[in-house]
Amino acid sequence: MNPFDEELNQRLEALRAQGLHRELRRVDSPQSPRIKIAGTTFLNFSSNDYLGLANHPALKEAAIKAVEKSGAGAGASRLICGSLAPFHELEETLAAFKKTGAALTFSTGYAAATGTICALLGKDDIIILDKLVHACIVDGARLSGAKLRVFAHNDLNDLEEKLMWAKKHIQHRKRVLIVTESIFSMDGDTAPLREIVMLKDKYGAWLMVDEAHATGLYGEKRRGLAEELGVGSRIEIQMGTLGKALGASGGYICGSRPLIDLLMHRARSFIFSTAPVPAAAAAATAGIQVVQSAAGKSLKEKLRSRVAEFQSAIRNLQSAIPSAIIPLMIGDETKAVDLAAKLREQNIFIPAIRYPTVARGAARLRITLTAAHSAEDVAELLAALNTLKP
Ligand SMILES: *Cc1c(COP(=O)(O)O)cnc(C)c1O
């Protein structure tokens, strides 16, 4: 073997030894509550397709129509070769959905985060992150060169300390940006957005909230947790993905017209990247339309029922703001992998989430429930989990 491959194999071996080895499991079915892997059908509790829209007829039809009308590919960056109609329809739909002045879409949520943070901040600015924010926000913060401070997860006192520090160290005309998620991706808990909004106002900071796991699921109009907590209009930068509850793919930023115009000029992940396929934009638009309809409301309620069924059986408690993300904390990486394998033997598919997705020694089985699951599916999951108990 050549020295290059030999060295990489050694690195992979080290990952294996730590229980951090991963593999791609080929799925021969759509994403749905049942997925087919190597001829076996699994009950799927792994996806972020919270409302079951990824395989919804309305989204599929929108994607097919967009291919017929706008083609398969987008040609270039939207600033170079013209910007296909489905992207404009999507951004108008998004801005109306979120009740913001404007919206801009990116190829992924990851690209939205890195592009936006780097467009807004430079090396003399300060960025303050919740300890548990998603990797794309951490990467955006590092890439921006801004001074980075991290506050303990959901800890308002620590956040205020970091804001006081920033106030002392920030230069004239430089900015402080706070970034948090609303529903945390790997823990399913909730950021105290009202209090964070009060703090950012008190210190004159900006706030960016990543609603990746809340868009479509919270609030009267299902805009997200910011709507549910009544602070939607007080957050400068509302970010999210089109690939989770909205059933399609892509990332978005919603906010004021000047924010969106600036991003169009300065977000490198937007400027220097070919536009996504028009089918993705059309599917996302259809996803938002479903979410906004009466069907979206009943899907949200159905998901709430599944979460309540699961929580009452497992924890015998209801959280104040329920989430479809339910982590079963294991700790040890190898043990989490073994438990996931045991569940697969019972045809239940749940991922063992490990470093670097979560901290070392904080491995977990991350269960996600969706509106497409039935009460029987949840009962089957509970029965399988019971067999794992010592
Ligand atoms: C999934 C996720 C993203 C990235 O979105 P993609 O569209 O998958 O790139 C960003 N933030 C959080 C919290 C996420 O869970």
Side-chain angles (χ1 to χ4, degrees), residues 85-106:
F87 301 115
H88 293 264
E89 285 158 17
L90 171 58
E91 285 161 359
E92 282 159 24
T93 306
L94 259 171
F97 171 48
K98 287 279 191 175
K99 255 181 106 180
T100 56
L104 190 68
T105 56
F106 293 72

Side-chain angles (χ1 to χ4, degrees), residues 29 40 55 57 61 85 109 111 120 131 168 199 206 218-219 293 324 340:
S29 63
T40 304
N55 193 36
E61 196 194 316
L120 292 174
K131 173 92 174 101
K168 236 186 278 162
L199 281 175
W206 290 339
Y218 295 86
S293 71

Side-chain angles (χ1 to χ4, degrees), residues 264-385:
M264 231 173 60
H265 287 86
R266 302 300 301 274
R268 294 169 67 87
S269 59
F270 178 82
I271 300 166
F272 297 106
S273 192
T274 301
V277 296
T285 302
I288 298 165
Q289 284 161 351
V290 172
V291 161
Q292 288 179 300
S293 71
K297 184 169 186 220
S298 63
L299 286 172
K300 173 187 157 183
E301 280 159 9
K302 216 174 143 204
L303 176 58
R304 286 287 161 94
S305 305
R306 297 295 90 84
V307 172
E309 287 154 15
F310 186 88
Q311 285 196 336
S312 62
I314 279 272
R315 292 169 169 171
N316 217 7
L317 61 86
Q318 301 277 326
S319 38
I321 296 183
S323 157
I325 302 165
I326 303 159
L328 299 184
M329 294 299 178
I330 308 298
D332 181 68
E333 282 78 14
T334 305
K335 192 169 168 211
V337 170
D338 289 347
L339 289 172
K342 285 209 175 91
L343 287 167
R344 282 199 304 281
E345 283 166 19
Q346 304 185 59
N347 297 346
I348 304 268
F349 194 81
I350 297 175
I353 302 285
R354 293 158 286 157
Y355 177 84
T357 309
V358 294
R360 282 185 198 273
R364 65 202 63 184
L365 297 175
R366 177 179 181 265
I367 297 168
T368 49
L369 300 174
T370 76
H373 287 113
S374 65
E376 292 73 34
D377 294 340
V378 172
E380 206 172 308
L381 166 63
L382 288 164
L385 290 174

Side-chain angles (χ1 to χ4, degrees), residues 48 50 106-113 132-137 181-186 210-213 239-244 248-252 325 366:
N48 300 316
Y50 298 116
F106 293 72
S107 53
T108 61
Y110 190 105
L132 294 188
V133 291
H134 192 265
C136 64
I137 295 166
E181 292 176 27
S182 60
I183 300 291
F184 281 85
S185 63
M186 294 299 141
D210 180 353
E211 295 250 45
H213 298 274
M239 163 195 164
T241 176
L242 304 166
K244 287 167 183 161
S249 159
Y252 70 80
I325 302 165
R366 177 179 181 265

Side-chain angles (χ1 to χ4, degrees), residues 79 104 257 259-267 270-271:
L79 293 162
L104 190 68
R257 186 79 250 172
L259 169 66
I260 299 311
D261 283 346
L262 184 86
L263 293 181
M264 231 173 60
H265 287 86
R266 302 300 301 274
F270 178 82
I271 300 166

